[in-house]
Amino acid sequence: MSRAVLTLDIPNSVWMGSVSREYPDAQFRVLAATPSKDGGVALAELLADEPERIVGDVEASASVSNLELLQVDEESVLLEIETQAAVFLESARNAGVPIRTPFSVRDGEIVWELTASRSRLSALNETLTDAGINFTVESIYEQVDSDQLLTDRQWTIIQAALENGYYDTPRNCTQEELARSVGLAKSTCSDLLHRAEEQIIKRLVEGEADARPRRSKRVPTIV
């Protein structure tokens, strides 16, 4: 599995693009969203100083076919919005990539955190590009299960080290005390720790290298 963070530019033809650019300090938190036959439906929380005025602009947007106020507070409003322009949801659906919610919309941009296979992320790259949506890949890296990275004994010693404060600053236990707590000789404990730390550090460095921003709005690429 791969994890990716994307920042997507919203066209002004979509209500989220035009309204959020008109009110750049406002934030929409999309709590749930699903494509429908004629567009899409979203449950969104609006956080702003003057939410009533912004709601009026959302309702007046050409791409919004229906809007319902579900809850109103001083600085937030809960909305159910039905739209005829669900290009982002359609792109994700066509690629088979689930959208994690909530996600944020602010000043004409959406931030998505995605978890999917490389092949599905590649398909999303194509569907977004075909739809004319510019986006930036903020980070992408592979998820690796801990039991694939470490042996059972290595995982046990790392857990014990954390629980006993071996990695605290300052340390709350010595390596000799850690070895006694798990019933191992100090030399065996040292070897297990070293090998486990080696694997973790190598994986961390590889993941950090993959997560370095690769920015390109002209030719966006996920994989």
Side-chain angles (χ1 to χ4, degrees), residues 169-190:
T169 304
R171 280 183 172 165
N172 290 321
C173 82
T174 65
Q175 194 172 105
E176 185 175 357
E177 290 170 336
L178 176 62
R180 284 201 303 267
S181 73
V182 293
L184 294 174
K186 183 179 177 182
S187 59
T188 303
C189 177
S190 176

Side-chain angles (χ1 to χ4, degrees), residues 111-201:
V111 178
W112 273 354
E113 295 184 16
L114 309 171
T115 301
S117 65
R118 283 268 178 170
S119 60
R120 292 193 182 277
L121 288 178
S122 180
L124 179 62
N125 174 69
E126 294 178 4
T127 58
L128 290 173
T129 301
D130 290 344
I133 298 173
N134 291 324
F135 63 91
T136 301
V137 181
E138 304 294 350
S139 66
I140 182 169
Y141 60 92
E142 293 293 329
Q143 282 187 311
V144 179
D145 293 336
S146 60
D147 53 355
Q148 293 179 336
L149 182 63
L150 304 177
T151 66
D152 288 342
R153 296 185 76 197
Q154 290 170 347
W155 182 242
T156 297
I157 196 67
I158 288 293
Q159 283 185 309
L162 289 171
E163 291 169 359
N164 285 278
Y166 180 76
Y167 292 113
D168 291 351
T169 304
R171 280 183 172 165
N172 290 321
C173 82
T174 65
Q175 194 172 105
E176 185 175 357
E177 290 170 336
L178 176 62
R180 284 201 303 267
S181 73
V182 293
L184 294 174
K186 183 179 177 182
S187 59
T188 303
C189 177
S190 176
D191 181 67
L192 284 170
L193 272 179
H194 175 74
R195 293 179 183 277
E197 291 165 352
E198 177 186 12
Q199 294 301 317
I200 292 169
I201 290 172

